[in-house]
């Protein structure tokens, strides 16, 4: 029922920053647990970060802790991923996803709605 559109991707050098946005329409993002996932060519899609409905509970994959931050602004119906100190290993298509009932915040199968993705490329 909710549509998600990612934006903010691009090409940056290692150590640079980007802020990804996930704009929702059709339903309020306040209804959903929100997550970010990423996929590199030839690899499976992996969990990056997730945030509870209230915004007071966030989880991250170990490789991005301290560098990437997920946040939500329910009033703006938008979820963000602030990306700092980027590394070439962060290069991937980043997907925004929404879940109604979630058993494991890191499990992509718990997320029902997905955006089309935005490309992030980090050069060394």
């Amino acid at each position: 029922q909710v549509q998600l559109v990612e934006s903010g991707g691009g090409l940056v050098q290692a150590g640079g920053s980007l802020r990804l946005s996930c704009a929702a329409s059709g339903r309020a993002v306040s209804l959903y647990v929100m997550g970010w996932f990423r996929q590199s060519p030839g690899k499976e899609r992996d969990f990056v970060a997730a945030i509870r409905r209230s915004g007071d509970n966030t989880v991250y994959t170990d490789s991005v802790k301290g560098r990437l931050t997920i946040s939500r602004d329910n009033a703006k119906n938008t979820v963000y991923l602030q990306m700092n100190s980027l590394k070439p290993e962060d290069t991937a298509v980043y997907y925004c996803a929404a879940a109604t009932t979630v058993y494991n915040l890191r499990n992509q199968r718990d997320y029902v709605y997905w955006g089309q993705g935005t490309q992030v490329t980090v050069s060394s």
Side-chain angles (χ1 to χ4, degrees), residues 11-87:
L11 174 64
V12 298
Q13 293 189 4
S17 298
L18 287 172
R19 189 180 75 164
L20 306 184
S21 298
C22 175
S25 61
R27 292 288 187 274
V29 296
S30 61
L31 299 173
Y32 304 97
V33 173
M34 301 297 296
W36 286 97
F37 296 78
R38 64 187 181 185
Q39 185 171 26
S40 300
K43 296 183 178 181
E44 295 183 347
R45 186 164 57 193
D46 292 327
F47 170 79
V48 177
I51 186 168
R52 293 284 188 181
R53 293 175 179 86
S54 64
D56 62 353
N57 190 342
T58 58
V59 296
Y60 299 90
T61 191
D62 287 344
S63 63
V64 307
K65 289 181 178 178
R67 301 188 300 111
L68 275 58
T69 303
I70 187 172
S71 63
R72 68 191 303 153
D73 188 335
N74 289 340
K76 295 182 178 179
N77 222 28
T78 303
V79 177
Y80 304 96
L81 186 66
Q82 179 65 48
M83 310 172 73
N84 298 327
S85 301
L86 285 165
K87 303 176 180 180

